[in-house]
Amino acid sequence: MSNRVYIFDTTLRDGEQVPGCQLNTDEKIIVAKELEALGVDIIEAGFPISSPEDFRSVQEISKAVSEPVICGLSRAVEKDIQTAADALVYAKRKRIHTGLGASDFHIEHKFRSTRAEMLERAERAVKFAKSLVEDVEFFAEDAGRADPVFLAQMIEIVIAAGATVVNIPDTTGYCLPHEYGAKIKYLVENVKNIHRATISVHCHNDLGLATANSLSGLINGARQVECTINGIGERAGNTSLEEVVMILKTHQKLGLHHQIKTDHLTPLSNLVSRMMRMPVQPNKAIVGKNAFAHSSGIHQDGVLKNRENYEIIDPGQVGAGASSIVLTARSGRAALNYRLSLLGYQLDKPELDRAYEQFLLLADQYKNIDEKHLETLMRQVGVGITA
Ligand code: KIV
Ligand code: ZN
């Protein structure tokens, strides 16, 4: 099995389903071009049957982007599949993503159907999609809660019908990492024709486990991961692209690699956040405003001695510029001295002691101390610029 992991970005489909995050076609093209520059392998550009604007978006993205595979979502219904194929007509490399429910819960309460009928519908849908495009991905919705034996049966049938990729979504974000990993392993070991398809992981974050579950799936044999910029998506979101790619890059021992140009991550995170009007939480891994900010005295002193005392990722690697030393009432002398040196002040020990005393009073009053405060502080303690 190859160790190359394919990055399938669904920011413009699952991500865009978030209320208030809808983008128009022009905005989607801008994001799609940036995803191409980032190096994603597949862009899920939309759900063409869902609206005329989504159809147009998939069509226009197909024209605007040439490297990644462009994928369109459809239910396992002929009209949906045909519409997806029509929307993808200009794509240089195209994929139809079709599927239906695999858990007994979905079969009974959503489809009001039976296992046997679902198997037939799945096979028919994949065969029809295959008659229109070569690359067909099948999703077994709610696979996270599905019986593994039935799931394996469904996956074997759709691969025989022509599916090139089989997506095993944890649609409700229910699984624990070891359970999800075991499910993927079970498919690797029990689906006779599994070598003819790529297994894809698609995890939701309802319990905050989307990234952990995706990683567990990859470790157990999946080779495609479905994710979004900033982890946006239905409810608590999807697996965050930046997290999964930086985990694989940081833990080279896993032996899994991808082609993402990681220095594009922070700028793209900012672009998506701005366009979708969806702020990124400051403590978000990799792309949060505080991901490389240090504010307590002990950490600041450690980082100033050697960045790797408290950082496992070089912020430059993810396009975040440099680490920042934030001045608060928890900061120490080393941090104050460092920030003053950036402004051109060189203080001897007695001056620094005096400045630090005044600094603590200011920091208690203002919480975050910025450059204006530092200039005032230097005037108060009578120190001029020396560098
Ligand atoms: O979460 C899910 O199951 C999905 C499918 C449509 C792939 O988004
Ligand atoms: Zn999803």
Side-chain angles (χ1 to χ4, degrees):
M1 186 190 299
S2 153
N3 284 338
R4 165 83 149 85
V5 172
Y6 292 90
I7 306 296
F8 176 115
D9 181 275
T10 183
T11 305
L12 298 176
R13 200 279 297 169
D14 222 342
E16 209 243 1
Q17 288 176 205
V18 176
C21 283
Q22 275 66 38
L23 300 180
N24 63 36
T25 299
D26 291 343
E27 291 169 323
K28 284 189 184 177
I29 290 171
I30 294 171
V31 174
K33 285 184 170 166
E34 293 304 318
L35 289 168
E36 179 174 42
L38 176 69
V40 305
D41 298 290
I42 303 106
I43 295 176
E44 187 162 51
F47 183 7
I49 192 97
S50 66
S51 75
E53 179 72 3
D54 222 37
F55 182 94
R56 204 168 83 78
S57 296
V58 175
Q59 200 173 42
E60 294 306 316
I61 290 170
S62 299
K63 292 179 195 162
V65 161
S66 56
E67 268 310 301
V69 171
I70 304 300
C71 179
L73 185 76
S74 72
R75 292 167 298 183
V77 173
E78 278 205 6
K79 189 159 167 258
D80 277 37
I81 297 169
Q82 183 64 59
T83 305
D86 294 345
L88 289 166
V89 73
Y90 298 108
K92 208 164 121 205
R93 301 161 71 204
K94 57 191 90 171
R95 176 182 297 177
I96 291 177
H97 189 189
T98 189
L100 40 63
S103 68
D104 287 327
F105 201 91
H106 272 213
I107 294 171
E108 196 179 327
H109 299 288
K110 180 177 157 181
F111 290 86
R112 302 192 200 293
S113 183
T114 61
R115 284 185 174 191
E117 197 181 288
M118 297 306 271
L119 294 179
E120 262 174 48
R121 284 172 67 176
E123 181 178 28
R124 225 181 307 129
V126 171
K127 282 190 170 158
F128 182 61
K130 194 77 178 179
S131 72
L132 304 172
V133 299
E134 182 44 43
D135 191 2
V136 176
E137 175 167 341
F138 175 81
F139 66 86
E141 196 180 15
D142 202 21
R145 293 190 294 177
D147 167 22
V149 178
F150 175 66
L151 181 63
Q153 204 185 348
M154 183 178 262
I155 294 303
E156 195 162 313
I157 286 173
V158 297
I159 294 175
T164 45
V165 181
V166 285
N167 178 11
I168 313 300
D170 184 21
T171 304
T172 56
Y174 170 75
C175 289
L176 295 172
H178 70 282
E179 291 171 347
Y180 188 70
K183 196 154 243 173
I184 301 296
K185 188 163 188 272
Y186 182 84
L187 296 176
V188 171
E189 290 172 353
N190 291 281
V191 173
K192 268 201 315 286
N193 52 6
I194 197 75
H195 58 281
R196 283 167 42 193
T198 301
I199 300 180
S200 184
V201 290
H202 176 116
C203 299
H204 280 267
N205 205 31
D206 300 65
L207 291 171
L209 290 171
T211 300
N213 282 340
S214 294
L215 187 65
S216 180
L218 293 174
I219 290 169
N220 282 284
R223 287 295 176 267
Q224 176 178 284
V225 56
E226 308 197 0
C227 43
T228 60
I229 300 294
N230 300 333
I232 59 168
E234 287 276 1
R235 309 181 307 281
N238 287 62
T239 299
S240 136
L241 182 148
E242 55 279 4
E243 290 173 15
V244 86
V245 302
M246 288 314 293
I247 290 169
L248 299 185
K249 191 168 174 135
T250 305
H251 288 278
Q252 302 262 334
K253 59 179 179 270
L254 293 172
L256 297 173
H257 57 94
H258 54 73
Q259 290 187 347
I260 295 297
K261 298 179 190 75
T262 58
D263 58 333
H264 289 231
L265 288 172
T266 305
L268 185 46
S269 158
N270 292 336
L271 177 81
V272 167
S273 167
R274 226 177 26 250
M275 274 190 168
M276 292 196 164
R277 298 160 293 278
M278 182 84 165
V280 175
Q281 72 192 61
N283 60 326
K284 167 83 179 60
I286 320 295
V287 292
K289 172 165 107 3
N290 293 345
F292 302 99
H294 306 272
S295 68
S296 83
I298 295 173
H299 286 214
Q300 290 174 329
D301 184 52
V303 166
L304 290 171
K305 285 178 174 141
N306 184 333
R307 190 186 57 73
E308 289 178 42
N309 276 325
Y310 286 102
E311 280 181 0
I312 55 163
I313 296 168
D314 178 342
Q317 267 193 347
V318 297
S323 323
S324 60
I325 299 289
V326 181
L327 292 179
T328 70
R330 305 289 157 264
S331 301
R333 281 177 175 70
L336 176 62
N337 200 25
Y338 168 75
R339 287 285 304 273
L340 287 171
S341 75
L342 295 182
L343 294 176
Y345 295 100
Q346 301 294 333
L347 278 66
D348 59 24
K349 174 134 185 353
E351 283 172 336
L352 181 60
D353 286 344
R354 271 201 336 269
Y356 187 64
E357 250 176 59
Q358 292 297 317
F359 160 76
L360 288 179
L361 297 176
L362 275 179
D364 272 339
Q365 196 181 342
Y366 293 106
K367 311 294 180 229
N368 269 352
I369 296 298
D370 62 21
E371 290 170 3
K372 255 194 354 264
H373 294 126
L374 291 178
E375 298 287 4
T376 309
L377 179 67
M378 288 297 88
R379 280 196 297 279
Q380 278 173 0
V381 294
V383 177
I385 292 186
T386 50

